[in-house]
Amino acid sequence: MPVTSFALLLVVVIAAAAVTVLAMSTWGALNVLPVLLIVALLARWGLAHVPFDDKHS
């Protein structure tokens, strides 16, 4: 993975965590947790058809 892609991935993860903390403090955990669950399940469903790459390069 190139360094720029890795750095962008880190920035996106940190930004997503910040938005999650902000949403939880604004609307409360009971309103945000179901949305996070739905997003996680949609991501899992969307990536289910992607085959694993276990080959050695």
Side-chain angles (χ1 to χ4, degrees):
M1 174 182 292
V3 175
T4 54
S5 295
F6 183 69
L8 183 63
L9 179 67
L10 283 176
V11 169
V12 168
V13 167
I14 291 170
V19 168
T20 302
V21 169
L22 177 69
M24 282 208 182
S25 66
T26 303
W27 295 304
L30 288 179
N31 293 332
V32 176
L33 283 177
V35 174
L36 289 176
L37 250 165
I38 290 169
V39 168
L41 289 173
L42 282 174
R44 182 176 176 189
W45 175 76
L47 292 173
H49 68 281
V50 177
F52 291 107
D53 187 15
D54 292 336
K55 296 179 230 156
H56 295 288
S57 359

